[in-house]
Amino acid sequence: MATASDISIPRRRFSVSRRVLPYLLSLPALLVCIAILVPFFTAVFYSLQRFRLSQPWNRGMNWGENYLNFLSDPDFWNTLQVSLTYAFLTVGLELLLGLGIALLLKKRSRLNNFISIMLLMPLMTAPALAALMWKLMTNPNFGILSYFAAQLGFPDFRWGSSPDTALFTVLLVDIWVYTPFIMILLLAGLRSLPTQPFEAAALDGVPRFQQFWRITLPMLTPYILTASLFRLLDSIQQFDIIYALTQGGPGDTLMVFQVEAYLNFFQSMNVGRSAALLMILWVITYFLSNIFIKNWLRLRERARGEA
């Protein structure tokens, strides 16, 4: 006689049609795409409007007048110059420092691994928090960096409060925070390079300096382009460090796109101009990223052809 335990109850299995499954799997990506495109097209719509929060009755479409006004606006051209200067200086200096540190730590050892981990500590600090920390250290009254500057013969070094030294100060903070990012990418690239070309060059008596220029640097170029692209796109949109240190000043010395758009929105309440500034920033980043990606793809195709 069969007992209750011997009777197997059929279980319903949840099955999805093969036609529906691809759409379900792509649903998260679709939601992310919608979450990006909706704010983007909203900003495009606002950039074509005469829209001030303080004058809601005067709101209306001006169909690109915000963009035309930039052509004769010296503040806009100053913002463009400052943003590009800041981006290329930070990326260039951080590449040189990151590559130098990566070359020093190229050899695998416990000490080098420990040093590379310790050098990543600034990257774990929030940029705004790092800027506030540096602002305290550069305080002319009690800052430790101001004290060291005075000992070196610069008793009245103004750091971020002077137009002559504000860019230098912000560059120091940016380099301190983000050089480890480039260093770790290039270090990974250096340690993944094949050893056969270097061994052959050593047997032929090629100096190490020539090995670097002829072998290391060409093979490392894709990693350099990747690190440069990430840092350039981030630097040209920099906000945290500059605003926390100088609020774009003194005057308009460090008035980059993100800071000017922020001030236009929250101080001048000019939504249309703020959105137009961000749209121009998007065009610049899109143009620069295309240049880097095309060069990276060209290098990859060349490497495949040589292989």
Side-chain angles (χ1 to χ4, degrees):
M1 184 176 178
T3 61
S5 60
D6 297 330
I7 301 175
S8 60
I9 301 175
R11 297 180 180 178
R12 291 185 178 181
R13 297 182 62 185
F14 181 76
S15 61
V16 180
S17 173
R18 291 186 176 181
R19 294 182 178 181
V20 180
L21 184 60
Y23 297 101
L24 288 177
L25 294 177
S26 60
L27 184 60
L30 179 62
L31 293 176
V32 171
C33 185
I34 293 173
I36 294 173
L37 291 179
V38 170
F40 175 79
F41 285 111
T42 302
V44 172
F45 178 66
Y46 285 159
S47 70
L48 299 174
Q49 289 187 359
R50 182 179 58 255
F51 184 13
R52 285 181 177 268
L53 293 177
S54 58
Q55 300 173 0
W57 60 86
N58 198 29
R59 180 178 178 180
M61 300 296 293
N62 59 15
W63 302 108
E65 185 180 337
N66 292 323
Y67 297 98
L68 293 176
N69 290 337
F70 289 144
L71 297 176
S72 58
D73 187 359
D75 292 337
F76 167 76
W77 294 109
N78 175 73
T79 296
L80 179 63
Q81 178 185 355
V82 171
S83 299
L84 293 177
T85 302
Y86 179 84
F88 285 106
L89 279 177
T90 52
V91 174
L93 294 172
E94 288 165 13
L95 266 179
L96 291 175
L97 288 173
L99 180 59
I101 297 171
L103 289 170
L104 292 174
L105 302 177
K106 178 183 177 181
K107 186 178 179 181
R108 295 178 183 272
S109 66
R110 291 184 178 181
L111 177 61
N112 286 351
N113 291 338
F114 175 76
I115 293 174
S116 62
I117 292 173
M118 295 305 295
L119 288 176
L120 288 176
M121 296 300 290
L123 193 60
M124 301 177 188
T125 308
L129 184 60
L132 292 175
M133 180 181 67
W134 276 76
K135 192 171 185 178
L136 291 174
M137 292 193 299
T138 56
N139 188 286
N141 297 321
F142 55 80
I144 186 171
L145 293 181
S146 296
Y147 171 78
F148 287 140
Q151 297 300 313
L152 293 173
F154 302 97
D156 195 29
F157 198 78
R158 304 305 299 169
W159 298 101
S161 60
S162 171
D164 299 327
T165 56
L167 179 60
F168 169 77
T169 305
V170 176
L171 286 176
L172 278 180
V173 182
D174 198 295
I175 290 170
W176 182 79
V177 173
Y178 290 111
T179 296
F181 172 76
I182 292 183
M183 179 271 296
I184 201 66
L185 285 180
L186 298 186
L187 181 60
L190 284 171
R191 290 182 174 180
S192 66
L193 296 180
T195 59
Q196 292 84 356
F198 300 97
E199 293 172 354
L203 289 175
D204 292 338
V206 179
R208 289 196 173 185
F209 181 76
Q210 291 293 330
Q211 290 184 30
F212 172 76
W213 282 106
R214 301 289 185 179
I215 303 175
T216 304
L217 200 57
M219 296 175 69
L220 198 63
T221 301
Y223 297 92
I224 293 175
L225 285 176
T226 302
S228 300
L229 174 61
F230 281 113
R231 280 301 304 130
L232 184 62
L233 296 183
D234 193 33
S235 295
I236 204 169
Q237 302 177 71
Q238 182 58 251
F239 174 80
D240 314 53
I241 294 175
I242 294 176
Y243 189 79
L245 270 175
T246 67
Q247 291 79 45
D252 57 358
T253 307
L254 293 174
M255 192 61 68
V256 294
F257 274 103
Q258 290 277 28
V259 174
E260 185 174 0
Y262 176 86
L263 295 177
N264 270 272
F265 190 97
F266 289 100
Q267 289 188 5
S268 303
M269 297 186 179
N270 193 340
V271 180
R273 178 182 169 86
S274 176
L277 283 168
L278 294 179
M279 286 299 101
I280 292 176
L281 177 60
W282 176 83
V283 171
I284 294 173
T285 55
Y286 179 80
F287 176 73
L288 292 175
S289 61
N290 268 315
I291 293 176
F292 275 87
I293 291 172
K294 286 180 180 178
N295 287 321
W296 186 85
L297 292 174
R298 190 182 69 219
L299 288 171
R300 188 181 67 173
E301 292 300 324
R302 184 192 302 173
R304 286 181 176 178
E306 293 176 354

